[in-house]
């Protein structure tokens, strides 16, 4: 209620203070800016209100079936609180683009449909629309290649087969030249990280290391989303463990820990716990195992799960089960295992 009252007050002030003296372009820009601000404050009703003002102004200025109005409908769809509203806004944009026979507009509409279905968890439907973006893009030429890049990238995310995902990501990589320079590095970091994860899941460690390294190098130019960087170091460390290069694995594991503790990035619990569990495994695997260190860091990882156990999803609980079972294996290699069974030791020390 408070957020909506703020939005209403803000709207009243804007309209009361000389809106008529501003051009339509200025008003549209102002309304969309306000929409984004209240959307970020999770006031979806307020965001829709501001976007409706922008659309009304654009219809008056440019006409109800103009590309400007269609663009605003697509923008509004991204701020909708309910799926049905988002879908309706995309359909409004699509109808306008069809009436104008606007090929680029149809590419955008299909991309937004794909984004909508991806957010709804319907990967198969999303892929259908991303395929339409790619098909239309082939016919329209290079000016559509940035949209094709996005379609290949998100199609890669939708695929359940790791090899197909890699294929889609690499098709996206071919289109880097058509991405505006100011966006290229950020997109490269995310793309290379995802390719690395696919190779990691396929146990192709050397290929995974290559792409994790490319992602890490991107951060030297632009530090954003530190959580992604932590994961890249963490997974590259795991690859080095699999290859038996424990020196490099330890370097990456400590780098992941340092970044995580300095920045406390927003990461899921599997990745957060993994920062410490990687170190636990490494202390167990070195030529002269440091069992106390292994147990110390294993307990840190398990405590993360124990502290959040009540609110965890099923997948997270399965992740905890994997970590705890692996921890038991590490414990069985220590001298303590001859004195106490794992569960008894665990319950005494996890508190």
């Amino acid at each position: 209620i408070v957020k909506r009252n703020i939005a209403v007050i803000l709207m009243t002030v804007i309209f009361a203070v000389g809106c008529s003296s501003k051009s339509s372009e200025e008003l549209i820009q102002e309304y969309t800016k306000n929409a984004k601000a209240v959307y970020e404050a999770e006031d979806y009703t307020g965001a829709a209100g501001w976007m409706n003002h922008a659309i009304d102004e654009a219809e008056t200025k440019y006409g109800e079936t103009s590309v400007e109005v269609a663009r605003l409908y697509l923008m509004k769809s991204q701020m909708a609180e309910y799926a049905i509203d988002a879908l309706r806004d995309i359909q409004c944009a699509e109808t306008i683009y069809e009436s104008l026979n606007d090929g680029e507009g149809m590419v955008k509409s299909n991309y937004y449909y794909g984004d909508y279905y991806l957010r709804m968890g319907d990967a198969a439907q999303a892929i259908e629309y991303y395929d339409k973006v790619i098909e239309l893009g082939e016919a329209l030429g290079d000016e559509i290649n940035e949209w094709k890049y996005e379609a290949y990238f998100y199609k890669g995310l939708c695929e359940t087969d790791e090899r197909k995902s890699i294929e889609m990501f690499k098709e996206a990589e071919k289109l880097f030249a058509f991405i505006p320079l100011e966006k290229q590095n950020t997109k490269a970091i995310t793309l290379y990280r995802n390719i690395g994860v696919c190779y990691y899941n396929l146990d192709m460690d050397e290929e995974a290391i290559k792409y994790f390294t490319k992602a890490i190098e991107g951060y030297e130019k632009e530090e954003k989303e530190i959580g992604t960087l932590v994961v890249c170091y963490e997974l590259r460390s795991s690859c080095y463990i699999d290859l038996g290069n424990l020196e490099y694995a330890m370097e990456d594991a400590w780098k992941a820990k340092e970044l995580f503790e300095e920045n406390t990035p927003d990461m899921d619990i599997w990745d957060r716990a993994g920062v410490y569990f990687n170190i636990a495994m490494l202390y167990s695997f070195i030529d002269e195992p440091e069992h106390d260190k292994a147990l110390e860091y294993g307990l840190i990882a398990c405590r993360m799960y124990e502290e959040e156990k009540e609110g965890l999803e099923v997948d997270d609980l399965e992740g905890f089960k994997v970590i705890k079972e692996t921890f038991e294996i590490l414990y069985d290699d220590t001298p303590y295992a001859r004195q106490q069974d794992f569960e008894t030791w665990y319950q005494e020390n996890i508190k």
Side-chain angles (χ1 to χ4, degrees):
I1 295 172
V2 172
K3 290 175 182 175
R4 291 181 182 179
N5 285 343
I6 291 171
V8 170
I9 293 168
L10 186 57
M11 285 185 186
T12 304
V13 171
I14 293 287
F15 282 108
V17 184
C19 279
S20 60
S21 64
K22 296 180 180 180
S23 68
S24 292
E25 292 85 351
E26 289 172 327
L27 288 173
I28 292 168
Q29 184 177 14
E30 190 168 303
Y31 297 155
T32 55
K33 181 180 178 181
N34 291 335
K36 290 175 184 176
V38 295
Y39 172 75
E40 289 173 1
E42 299 183 8
D43 176 7
Y44 306 110
T45 302
W50 282 114
M51 287 307 303
N52 285 336
H53 285 305
I55 290 168
D56 290 343
E57 189 66 35
E59 287 177 342
T60 301
K61 172 69 176 177
Y62 303 108
E64 293 183 1
T65 58
S66 62
V67 293
E68 289 82 3
V69 171
R71 178 184 65 83
L72 291 170
Y73 271 119
L74 292 180
M75 184 185 297
K76 185 185 173 193
S77 74
Q78 297 290 288
M79 302 182 194
E81 181 175 8
Y82 300 108
I84 188 65
D85 294 328
L87 191 59
R88 187 185 300 116
D89 289 331
I90 299 169
Q91 289 169 340
C92 287
E94 179 184 39
T95 299
I96 293 171
Y97 286 131
E98 284 180 340
S99 72
L100 297 171
N101 196 26
D102 186 325
E104 183 173 354
M106 291 306 299
V107 166
K108 293 176 182 177
S109 295
N110 280 292
Y111 172 78
Y112 277 83
Y113 276 125
D115 178 70
Y116 166 81
Y117 284 109
L118 179 59
R119 286 187 286 145
M120 293 297 294
D122 189 342
Q125 192 72 46
I127 286 173
E128 285 188 25
Y129 281 103
Y130 291 137
D131 281 338
K132 289 180 182 179
V133 171
I134 293 165
E135 182 182 348
L136 286 167
E138 292 294 339
L140 291 170
D142 289 349
E143 67 272 15
I144 304 300
N145 278 339
E146 185 176 355
W147 292 97
K148 282 173 61 183
Y149 170 91
E150 299 291 345
Y152 275 122
F153 177 80
Y154 284 104
K155 187 178 175 184
L157 291 183
C158 290
E159 293 287 357
T160 54
D161 183 305
E162 302 286 356
R163 295 182 187 277
K164 287 183 180 179
S165 292
I166 291 170
E167 181 184 342
M168 293 301 101
F169 290 142
K170 289 190 174 182
E171 286 296 324
E173 186 179 17
K174 293 175 185 177
L175 298 170
F176 262 154
F178 299 96
I179 303 296
L181 286 174
E182 67 273 13
K183 298 180 182 178
Q184 281 187 9
N185 192 58
T186 300
K187 290 186 179 296
I189 290 168
T190 306
L191 180 68
Y192 292 143
R193 182 259 188 190
N194 283 324
I195 296 175
V197 169
C198 289
Y199 279 123
Y200 174 80
N201 291 336
L202 290 168
D203 295 324
M204 298 175 68
D205 295 305
E206 291 182 352
E207 284 297 307
I209 286 170
K210 181 171 75 174
Y211 282 96
F212 288 138
T213 301
K214 285 185 175 184
I216 289 167
E217 289 172 348
Y219 279 90
E220 294 175 1
K221 302 176 186 175
E222 178 180 359
E223 292 187 5
K224 287 186 177 180
E225 296 185 14
I226 296 299
T228 301
L229 179 59
V230 171
V231 170
C232 287
Y233 274 114
E234 185 182 331
L235 294 181
R236 193 172 73 171
S237 175
S238 295
C239 292
Y240 282 129
I241 291 174
D242 292 343
L243 294 172
N245 192 332
L246 300 186
E247 181 182 353
Y248 283 2
M250 188 65 89
E251 286 179 10
D252 277 357
W254 279 106
K255 185 65 177 177
K257 175 179 177 293
E258 175 187 317
L259 287 166
F260 176 74
E261 291 179 347
E262 286 179 357
N263 299 279
T264 59
D266 183 18
M267 298 163 58
D268 66 46
I269 192 164
W270 174 262
D271 291 326
R272 283 184 279 129
V275 168
Y276 296 97
F277 203 73
N278 260 11
I279 296 174
M281 290 193 296
L282 282 163
Y283 275 123
S284 293
F285 295 161
I286 56 179
D287 292 337
E288 296 182 8
E290 296 187 35
H291 298 302
D292 286 343
K293 289 287 187 183
L295 297 178
E296 174 189 346
Y297 284 99
L299 283 170
I300 292 173
C302 288
R303 280 196 194 101
M304 288 182 166
Y305 278 100
E306 294 285 1
E307 289 169 1
E308 300 180 26
K309 198 171 183 178
E310 296 303 318
L312 293 178
E313 301 289 339
V314 173
D315 288 347
D316 293 325
L317 291 172
E318 284 297 314
F320 182 26
K321 182 180 177 183
V322 169
I323 282 185
K324 192 173 176 183
E325 288 174 351
T326 308
F327 193 24
E328 182 173 1
I329 294 170
L330 300 185
Y331 176 80
D332 288 343
D333 286 335
T334 72
Y336 301 104
R338 293 192 291 270
Q339 304 166 20
Q340 263 183 323
D341 67 274
F342 172 72
E343 192 60 34
T344 301
W345 175 89
Y346 180 83
Q347 293 302 329
E348 288 180 359
N349 288 274
I350 196 64
K351 300 173 183 177

